[in-house]
Amino acid sequence: MTETRISRWYFGGIASCAAACCTHPLDLIKVHLQTQQEVKMRMTGMAMQVVRSDGLLALYNGLSASLCRQMTYSMTRFAIYEIVRDEISSRNQGPMPFYQTILLAAFGGLTGGFIGTPADMVNVRMQNDVKLPPELRRNYAHALDGLLRVWNEEGIRKLFSGASMAASRGAMVTVGQLSCYDQAKQLVLGTGLMTDNIFTHFFASLIAGGCATILCQPMDVVKTRLMNSKGEYRGLVPAGIRLIPHTVLTFIFLEQLRLYFGIRVVTST
């Protein structure tokens, strides 16, 4: 008899929130770079300007909205992907083929991207607020305040501004992250050189983060501009600097949650 552990449906959301707390300043700088009308600053210069003008804590503007987004967008896509993957894998007595995980990840990301659009829009606005003149700032107190104010002042349809782009971007990044992570992990373990440990998780998630960055960057720029709506294809490197660490941390946290708190599955050998 062998015992394995599988993730609970909400682990993806928790792991994504933990990763977001670590990488939020990078996400904020990425949004600033993507919404500048002319190429005036690079990543380090933008970070220094934010700190000089509004203080160190300004790098965490919009954190509540970012966490709200992870609890809607990421929890949905991880739940769909992992529940279906684990069910099919248990029936087939083996891992899903790569093309099937791509289709499943795309569906999960599409659904999660749509559900997470309101929180995503408020997240982009809160991050971008610090670079606007004081009279144009929205000054949302937190994510819930932002959601309610958009609903009351701009209507419920505005909450889903850019939903099609956010859903498409969600599909692409989920394919890059989840299906590529599973495939990379299988390939690494298949070599026999590494076991199912944190080093394998790090290496596989590093590959997945690179794939996700390349797949989603063009849509990410358009989505950011649609949601900000005040004011180029900018920042592939800044996007990677943010998305790759976020992907690595998400899967490391997720795997640790699975190993220590996951559902026990006992199978006969």
Side-chain angles (χ1 to χ4, degrees):
M1 305 289 284
T2 58
E3 179 185 292
T4 58
R5 288 180 180 256
I6 61 175
S7 289
R8 301 181 188 273
W9 66 270
Y10 52 86
F11 279 0
I14 296 174
S16 297
C17 284
C21 289
C22 300
T23 62
H24 187 76
L26 297 174
D27 195 24
L28 180 138
I29 299 303
K30 181 204 68 172
V31 169
H32 285 204
L33 290 171
Q34 289 176 339
T35 54
Q36 59 182 338
Q37 296 304 306
E38 299 177 6
V39 182
K40 298 178 181 178
M41 294 186 183
R42 298 301 179 188
M43 193 165 189
T44 305
M46 185 67 77
M48 294 303 296
Q49 182 190 355
V50 171
V51 172
R52 278 197 303 265
S53 60
D54 293 273
L56 189 62
L57 291 179
L59 292 172
Y60 280 89
N61 279 345
L63 178 61
S64 63
S66 180
L67 296 178
C68 181
R69 174 177 178 264
Q70 298 301 337
M71 293 301 288
T72 51
Y73 159 65
S74 286
M75 186 172 287
T76 300
R77 67 193 182 108
F78 270 95
I80 291 173
Y81 181 84
E82 296 204 321
I83 289 172
V84 176
R85 181 203 61 192
D86 292 341
E87 179 64 27
I88 293 177
S89 296
S90 64
R91 288 181 182 179
N92 296 341
Q93 297 296 308
M96 289 175 64
F98 185 42
Y99 78 92
Q100 290 184 3
T101 64
I102 289 175
L103 295 175
L104 177 58
F107 175 74
L110 199 71
T111 307
F114 179 80
I115 291 174
T117 299
D120 200 6
M121 186 192 70
V122 172
N123 181 36
V124 169
R125 287 187 172 188
M126 290 180 72
Q127 289 176 344
N128 200 57
D129 235 20
V130 295
K131 61 183 286 192
L132 296 174
E135 66 274 9
L136 294 180
R137 295 183 181 182
R138 299 178 178 95
N139 294 317
Y140 298 149
H142 45 73
L144 184 58
D145 176 56
L147 292 169
L148 292 175
R149 281 182 53 188
V150 173
W151 184 322
N152 293 330
E153 297 170 9
E154 303 175 60
I156 190 171
R157 291 185 63 182
K158 190 64 177 179
L159 283 172
F160 288 90
S161 173
S164 60
M165 188 59 63
S168 300
R169 188 254 185 197
M172 298 300 286
V173 74
T174 305
V175 168
Q177 286 182 327
L178 275 66
S179 61
C180 289
Y181 175 79
D182 278 351
Q183 186 68 18
K185 184 179 174 183
Q186 286 177 31
L187 292 173
V188 170
L189 293 176
T191 64
L193 300 175
M194 299 179 73
T195 59
D196 190 5
N197 57 32
I198 195 168
F199 300 107
T200 300
H201 306 156
F202 174 82
F203 185 67
S205 59
L206 197 64
I207 295 172
C211 293
T213 301
I214 294 170
L215 286 173
C216 77
Q217 171 63 7
M219 292 183 179
D220 200 20
V221 175
V222 177
K223 174 190 72 91
T224 298
R225 294 190 168 194
L226 284 172
M227 290 178 173
N228 184 51
S229 68
K230 277 193 180 181
E232 306 172 86
Y233 189 134
R234 298 213 196 289
L236 178 62
V237 173
I241 290 174
R242 179 262 167 187
L243 187 56
I244 292 173
H246 185 272
T247 302
V248 170
L249 290 170
T250 295
F251 281 109
I252 287 177
F253 289 140
L254 179 65
E255 292 283 13
Q256 295 306 303
L257 286 170
R258 176 182 66 83
L259 290 172
Y260 289 100
F261 305 105
I263 300 170
R264 293 181 180 180
V265 177
V266 179
T267 56
S268 57
T269 55

